[in-house]
């Protein structure tokens, strides 16, 4: 596509917060929490211990695979790949995610280096930051702007997307498609996004050319598949079909887990899914950005310490969307401040008591979106 075919995405504006706004109140409360407890909003020692555990969960089994330690039994071998899948989830949600939001460390270079762990598990930091940091966090659940709900035609994640007859069954087959998430990500998604982001001028805003981004994404794709699949095929003593089965098991595990972690936070009945309105030719939202985030986001399993630890506090999604620059180790404490502020300003604070109930809520929404 030549330069003349580029088109900017429409700039959708949020109204001013106004005086004594909800966000001003909740931010003041959170700032006071850190000040009164003499805490840094960045990661602490617990965060770095977790980072080490997640890296070991991924790299430890990998070393066993390529050194032949796991060759004694096929189930042991496949179990190592399963652990690598969990390690992918842990690295993506509990380390890389914070780093690419600039929340892991007060040192920008540290965040940059650690943020590149996304390349270790097969992604590309440039496209991830555009999709997640810019589009999803700014335009949450807004059709045409939030790439997280802009799925293929098989899945309908928004009431504003076209409805087809087969969506009636998406609450059943979606769970299978979720297992393909990272396989699609590692093979095609980054390249498709690069073409789209060039068309919308988003690569230029990241100060990277399309040619350079395509070269980087291609080399990283080759690097990932070389170490994650080719080296095990060369050095492991297991048959090629067993190795391929393990590789697929790793991605099925990671894809399904990541989908189950993120989807119940936004694709649920309580989400508002507001669309921009146009006045004087300029699209804008009815609510301020902070209120929009609260209306389109839900927490879950707030009392489950293990889930919160393993998935990087992403069960506190409301807190994360309001304060992406704060490390997730603080979300549990500041959630009380956010909840009280929402109550004071008459805003809903959506939370599912357990992870299982959150998944049921997502399934219910998929079923609802599959009907008129």
């Amino acid at each position: 596509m030549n330069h003349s075919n580029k088109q900017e995405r429409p700039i959708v504006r949020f109204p001013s917060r106004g005086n004594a706004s909800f966000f001003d109140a909740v931010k003041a409360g959170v700032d006071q929490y850190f000040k009164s407890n003499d805490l840094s909003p960045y990661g602490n020692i617990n965060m770095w211990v977790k980072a080490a555990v997640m890296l070991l969960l991924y790299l430890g089994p990998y070393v066993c695979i390529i050194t032949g330690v796991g060759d004694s039994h096929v189930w042991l071998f496949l179990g190592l790949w399963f652990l690598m899948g969990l390690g992918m989830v842990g690295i993506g949600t509990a380390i890389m995610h914070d780093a690419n939001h600039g929340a892991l460390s007060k040192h920008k270079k540290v965040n940059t280096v650690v943020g590149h762990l996304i390349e270790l598990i097969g992604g590309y930091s440039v496209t991830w930051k555009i999709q997640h940091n810019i589009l999803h966090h700014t335009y949450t659940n807004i059709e045409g702007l939030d790439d997280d709900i802009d799925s293929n035609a098989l899945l309908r994640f928004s009431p504003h997307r076209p409805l087809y007859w087969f969506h009636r069954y998406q609450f059943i087959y979606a769970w299978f498609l979720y297992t393909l998430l990272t396989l699609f990500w590692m093979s095609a998604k980054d390249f498709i996004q690069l073409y789209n982001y060039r068309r919308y001028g988003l690569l230029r805003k990241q100060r990277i050319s399309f040619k350079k981004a395509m070269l980087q994404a291609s080399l990283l794709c080759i690097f990932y598949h070389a170490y994650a699949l080719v080296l095990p095929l060369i050095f492991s003593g297991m048959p090629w079909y067993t190795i391929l089965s393990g590789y697929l098991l790793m991605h099925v595990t990671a894809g399904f887990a990541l989908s189950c972690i993120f989807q119940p936070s936004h694709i649920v009945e309580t989400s508002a899914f507001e669309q921009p309105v146009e006045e004087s030719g300029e699209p804008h939202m009815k609510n301020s950005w902070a209120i929009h985030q609260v209306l389109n986001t839900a927490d879950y399993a707030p009392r489950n310490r293990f889930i919160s630890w393993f998935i990087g506090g992403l069960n506190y999604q409301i807190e994360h969307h309001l304060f992406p620059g704060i490390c997730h180790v603080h979300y549990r404490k500041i959630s009380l401040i956010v909840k009280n502020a929402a109550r004071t300003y008459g805003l809903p604070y959506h939370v599912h008591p357990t992870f299982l109930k959150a998944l049921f809520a997502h399934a219910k929404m998929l079923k609802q979106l599959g009907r008129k």
Side-chain angles (χ1 to χ4, degrees), residues 72-330:
S72 59
H73 197 284
V74 63
W75 291 112
L76 172 61
F77 185 76
L78 293 176
L80 292 172
W81 286 101
F82 174 73
L83 290 177
M84 285 187 68
L86 294 180
M88 285 181 65
V89 175
I91 291 172
T93 60
I95 312 175
M96 175 280 295
H97 185 255
D98 279 66
N100 278 318
H101 275 295
L104 181 65
S105 170
K106 64 180 180 180
H107 302 291
K108 185 177 180 180
K109 288 185 178 180
V110 173
N111 288 318
T112 300
V113 171
V114 177
H116 282 298
L117 284 175
I118 189 174
E119 277 91 18
L120 178 69
I121 56 176
Y124 181 38
S125 57
V126 172
T127 52
W128 191 89
K129 287 179 180 179
I130 294 175
Q131 175 185 335
H132 185 78
N133 290 17
I134 299 175
L135 299 178
H136 174 62
H137 270 266
T138 305
Y139 305 113
T140 308
N141 279 3
I142 299 178
E143 172 62 25
L145 292 174
D146 181 0
D147 275 7
D148 280 18
I149 61 172
D150 186 17
S151 182
N152 58 63
L154 290 175
L155 293 171
R156 187 173 188 250
F157 288 150
S158 167
H160 305 290
R161 291 185 65 79
L163 176 66
Y164 300 107
W165 66 268
F166 48 81
H167 289 143
R168 192 174 191 86
Y169 308 101
Q170 70 172 359
F171 73 100
I172 300 173
Y173 66 72
W175 307 97
F176 168 74
L177 295 180
Y178 288 166
T179 66
L180 306 178
L181 173 68
T182 57
L183 282 170
F184 175 61
W185 184 13
M186 301 340 169
S187 58
K189 182 179 178 180
D190 284 325
F191 300 103
I192 294 172
Q193 286 183 321
L194 285 176
Y195 277 102
N196 290 332
Y197 294 160
R198 177 179 70 160
R199 181 157 55 101
Y200 295 127
L202 293 169
L203 288 179
R204 183 172 66 254
K205 293 179 180 178
Q206 295 299 303
R207 299 179 180 179
I208 187 170
S209 68
F210 173 74
K211 182 177 180 180
K212 182 178 180 180
M214 283 293 289
L215 177 61
Q216 288 181 350
S218 299
L219 292 176
L220 288 167
C221 183
I222 293 171
F223 161 75
Y224 173 75
H225 287 95
Y227 95 79
L229 184 58
V230 176
L231 288 185
L233 286 169
I234 295 174
F235 293 106
S236 173
M238 301 298 281
W240 67 268
Y241 50 84
T242 305
I243 297 170
L244 184 59
S245 297
Y247 177 81
L248 293 175
L249 175 61
M250 173 182 69
H251 280 289
V252 165
T253 301
F256 185 75
L258 287 169
S259 296
C260 289
I261 289 168
F262 283 102
Q263 297 293 52
S265 297
H266 302 291
I267 315 300
V268 286
E269 286 183 300
T270 55
S271 295
F273 291 100
E274 305 102 326
Q275 286 296 103
V277 295
E278 288 207 23
E279 291 181 1
S280 303
E282 183 174 301
H284 67 274
M285 302 301 296
K286 175 183 176 183
N287 294 304
S288 68
W289 171 83
I291 293 178
H292 179 84
Q293 299 304 316
V294 173
L295 294 178
N296 284 278
T297 311
D299 289 0
Y300 58 83
R303 296 182 180 180
N304 194 318
R305 296 288 187 92
F306 175 75
I307 284 181
S308 185
W309 178 86
F310 184 75
I311 68 173
L314 293 178
N315 55 321
Y316 292 103
Q317 194 74 194
I318 297 174
E319 289 69 29
H320 171 60
H321 268 252
L322 290 176
F323 300 100
I326 293 178
C327 185
H328 72 263
V329 296
H330 305 292

Side-chain angles (χ1 to χ4, degrees), residues 22-96:
F22 158 71
F23 187 69
D24 288 336
V26 73
K27 186 178 184 303
V30 170
D31 289 344
Q32 182 59 36
Y33 164 76
F34 285 108
K35 182 178 180 180
S36 61
N37 291 280
D38 194 23
L39 293 173
S40 165
Y42 301 103
N44 53 26
I45 185 62
N46 294 328
M47 177 66 220
W48 290 106
V49 169
K50 181 195 297 191
V53 171
M54 296 304 180
L55 285 170
L56 284 174
L57 185 61
Y58 182 74
L59 296 176
Y62 176 75
V63 171
C64 292
I65 288 170
I66 63 173
T67 57
V69 173
D71 293 354
S72 59
H73 197 284
V74 63
W75 291 112
L76 172 61
F77 185 76
L78 293 176
L80 292 172
W81 286 101
F82 174 73
L83 290 177
M84 285 187 68
L86 294 180
M88 285 181 65
V89 175
I91 291 172
T93 60
I95 312 175
M96 175 280 295

